[in-house]
Amino acid sequence: MALTISLTIWRWVERARPASRCALTSCKRSAHRQRGRTEIGDAFFSEVPGRIAYGGPGSSDPLSFAVYQPDRVVLGKRMEDQLRIAVCLWHSFNWPGSDVFGVGTFDRPWLTPGVDPGTASHAKLDAAFEFIEKLGVPFFAFHDRDVAPEVRTYAETRANLDTSVDRIEGHMARMGARLLWGTANLFGHPRYAAGAATNPDPEVFAYAAAQVKTMLEVTHRLGGANYVLWGGREGYETLLNTDLAREEAQLARFLTLVAEHKHRIGFTGTLLIEPKPQEPTKHQYDYDVATVVGFLQRHDLAGEYRLNIEANHATLAGHSFHHEVASAIALGAFGSIDVNRGDYQNGWDTDQFPNSVDELSLALHEILAAGGLTAGGFNFDAKLRRQSVSRSDLFHAHIAGIDTLAQALLAAADMVEHGTLAAPREERYAGWSGQLGTAILSGSVTLADLERRVAAGGIDPRPRSGQQELLEGLVNRRIWAVDRVEGPKDADASRAGRAGGRRS
Ligand code: XUL
Ligand code: CO
């Protein structure tokens, strides 16, 4: 009975998938499993015929950008160079659409159980790079296990990784794609259930070290701009079995070894730590920006690491994304962004594609006002919803997210050009540039000196408005007024034209 049902489901699945859609060749499905074929047949995303073009805000074609124009100059840089957008291989190509209550729903043939791992990795990579090329974004990001799932032995997994990296290198050369960051998956395998660097067993620490050494070298080989460490399970489930001081020392040792190896191999990219407060563990040591910066300073690592801030991790920590970006900039530790959002009605990492121009404008304003991105970028570390089972859904998600980001960039640049927030902020702190403020900050006055001045009647401060509602209104005006249609290409002409036309 059970067998009959399984066979019926299998036949139904086979019929539901048109043969031309199988990434593992034009397809006798069981045959490619037997023969372990590596060649790829039809394009995986054949329903998207070519590169996604700019259609403008009026276009009715959902497979076009309404706002994103890579060559449009914004604050003196091409939009593509301001945003440095990356596609994330993990969520978009290596996650089957499973959740805690159900199996995968997505059409990802390379994740089918039993497919030869090499064949599967190649099919996955070819589909991923077809996607990146059609989307027309410059970067991608991946974990070691996204392209080489763990097999029987370390040596075999390592050999598969090398083969996948060769293939990645070929795709990069062919289409000029760049690696925003590489990272090692130190959270999926059961050996990491009690952490990687913070594991009570030093052999697990050693295994994690081997993985990170390898991926750091792979990232270096591929010319990666950054290397990310996300402490997926560096935390605890219960304090009853946890020695906090010991685990902190282990994590510091691990991060020191990674920094040493970076210098040993001559990797010039930035090392990034990605804060997250919890999930999958109850408590994660890299809780938020301030916690990580404190940790780095305690262990003399602040010069070696910057931060990869994820929007949804910020909200999980009880902060806004804006807060985390502003904090990292204020602490001199800003690096890069994972731009997925959460859902305000639930408290876990839903990893959704961004859709709020208002929220992103404020974060982007902080980044632009601080000089813009350098090695970092905007990585779409985002997942489709489990019901988004069409191949084109991956395009729609990225197009909508990229347009949101592009619109937020225009709004943020507009605020920078108008000094919408900079001018009132400068005015608010003006006293600190005066005689009293500089005397206090330079350390040339004591508490007793200050008391004497107050008692002498020379100091009698009056409350002043913080102007919150005024500023909120001004920000909204800039967001609403922003020009979605490309203006003059020349940066100065663009600035002059905009500043003259619509001053707030
Ligand atoms: C998990 C997460 C990861 C890191 C890289 O929440 O954000 O994808 O970005 O391991
Ligand atoms: Co992330």
Side-chain angles (χ1 to χ4, degrees):
M1 174 68 179
L3 181 69
T4 320
I5 292 173
S6 307
L7 281 174
T8 311
I9 291 173
W10 175 248
R11 282 198 206 101
W12 177 79
V13 169
E14 289 296 289
R15 248 183 288 124
R17 291 176 175 161
S20 66
R21 288 187 163 196
C22 178
L24 301 178
T25 74
S26 53
C27 135
K28 306 250 188 320
R29 278 175 190 276
S30 49
H32 61 231
R33 222 175 296 159
Q34 285 155 15
R35 281 180 267 138
R37 291 164 62 172
T38 52
E39 75 273 25
I40 304 301
D42 293 339
F44 185 69
F45 295 104
S46 51
E47 67 254 50
V48 179
R51 177 91 172 239
I52 303 295
Y54 173 72
S59 169
S60 58
D61 178 5
L63 288 171
S64 70
F65 290 116
V67 191
Y68 182 65
Q69 290 170 283
D71 290 327
R72 177 169 178 177
V73 174
V74 181
L75 284 185
K77 265 200 221 171
R78 294 170 64 246
M79 203 178 240
E80 179 177 282
D81 300 328
Q82 287 283 16
L83 294 174
R84 296 168 61 83
I85 289 170
V87 164
C88 159
L89 262 49
W90 184 26
H91 290 331
S92 295
F93 293 90
N94 211 42
W95 174 61
S98 51
D99 69 10
V100 285
F101 290 109
V103 297
T105 55
F106 296 157
D107 175 19
R108 304 279 185 268
W110 47 84
L111 299 180
T112 309
V115 178
D116 164 68
T119 312
S121 289
H122 292 169
K124 184 195 300 176
L125 285 173
D126 292 352
F129 281 94
E130 180 197 344
F131 179 78
I132 294 165
E133 192 168 20
K134 286 181 172 171
L135 193 64
V137 297
F139 289 99
F140 67 101
F142 73 107
H143 300 79
D144 50 358
R145 297 297 170 252
D146 298 342
V147 302
E150 205 151 320
V151 285
R152 260 184 331 118
T153 64
Y154 179 81
E156 266 181 66
T157 309
R158 175 69 217 254
N160 287 347
L161 178 65
D162 290 340
T163 312
S164 287
V165 172
D166 290 343
R167 202 169 187 95
I168 291 174
E169 212 167 33
H171 281 298
M172 289 173 77
R174 179 178 60 76
M175 52 190 259
R178 287 175 281 163
L179 177 60
L180 183 65
W181 48 257
T183 188
N185 179 330
L186 306 180
F187 45 87
H189 193 279
R191 82 172 65 83
Y192 295 124
T198 61
N199 200 287
D201 180 353
E203 289 201 355
V204 178
F205 182 110
Y207 213 100
Q211 259 184 265
V212 172
K213 173 190 175 282
T214 304
M215 247 337 254
L216 197 53
E217 289 168 4
V218 163
T219 303
H220 182 39
R221 171 180 160 192
L222 297 177
N226 307 272
Y227 184 87
V228 164
L229 291 118
W230 171 55
R233 294 187 193 269
E234 312 293 21
Y236 62 78
E237 297 295 346
T238 171
L239 284 172
L240 299 182
N241 63 11
T242 302
D243 183 336
L244 287 176
R246 205 186 264 279
E247 295 202 1
E248 164 143 355
Q250 287 173 212
L251 187 54
R253 189 88 284 276
F254 193 87
L255 295 176
T256 305
L257 290 173
V258 174
E260 280 171 9
H261 195 69
K262 167 193 157 157
H263 296 301
R264 192 164 301 133
I265 63 176
F267 176 56
T268 52
T270 310
L271 295 177
L272 299 171
I273 295 182
E274 182 169 325
K276 185 174 180 180
Q278 68 273 130
E279 200 230 27
T281 58
K282 171 189 163 69
H283 175 91
Q284 193 162 308
Y285 297 133
D286 297 333
Y287 199 90
D288 60 3
V289 165
T291 310
V292 174
V293 170
F295 171 91
L296 292 172
Q297 288 171 350
R298 274 199 299 290
H299 297 284
D300 207 16
L301 286 167
E304 296 287 2
Y305 286 88
R306 290 174 164 266
L307 301 179
N308 187 43
I309 297 167
E310 180 161 320
N312 202 168
H313 297 177
T315 45
L316 275 181
H319 303 306
S320 64
F321 177 43
H322 185 191
H323 167 95
E324 286 291 81
V325 170
S327 298
I329 290 170
L331 295 169
F334 177 75
S336 196
I337 297 287
D338 277 359
V339 72
N340 51 338
R341 71 182 161 98
D343 182 310
Y344 290 112
Q345 279 169 275
N346 54 29
W348 68 89
D349 203 7
T350 57
D351 279 329
Q352 286 171 251
F353 281 81
N355 68 352
S356 167
V357 172
D358 291 14
E359 286 174 15
L360 287 183
S361 299
L362 293 171
L364 262 157
H365 178 261
E366 298 290 340
I367 294 168
L368 292 184
L373 292 171
T374 50
F378 278 88
N379 174 42
F380 280 94
D381 196 22
K383 290 175 173 150
L384 290 174
R385 296 308 86 194
R386 198 163 169 264
Q387 296 174 57
S388 302
V389 295
S390 309
R391 293 182 185 181
S392 56
D393 285 326
L394 203 55
F395 278 92
H396 296 308
H398 281 82
I399 290 168
I402 289 169
D403 273 337
T404 306
L405 207 48
Q407 179 72 6
L409 174 73
L410 294 178
D414 192 77
M415 286 192 271
V416 170
E417 287 171 340
H418 285 84
T420 309
L421 294 175
R425 207 181 276 181
E426 208 169 298
E427 158 68 17
R428 188 158 182 250
Y429 292 95
W432 288 95
S433 312
Q435 189 269 331
L436 177 64
T438 47
I440 295 171
L441 290 180
S442 67
S444 64
V445 292
T446 64
L447 273 190
D449 294 333
L450 293 173
E451 198 260 357
R452 256 192 302 281
R453 289 206 206 179
V454 172
I459 291 181
D460 185 15
R462 298 293 149 103
R464 286 192 329 186
S465 172
Q467 300 186 310
Q468 181 169 338
E469 295 77 7
L470 169 66
L471 295 174
E472 285 169 350
L474 290 178
V475 165
N476 278 348
R477 282 190 199 202
R478 300 303 349 138
I479 291 173
W480 297 335
V482 84
D483 179 6
R484 283 184 294 170
V485 183
E486 181 170 23
K489 279 246 159 66
D490 174 79
D492 292 334
S494 157
R495 222 187 323 269
R498 290 153 143 255
R502 291 181 282 100
R503 211 158 252 296
S504 51

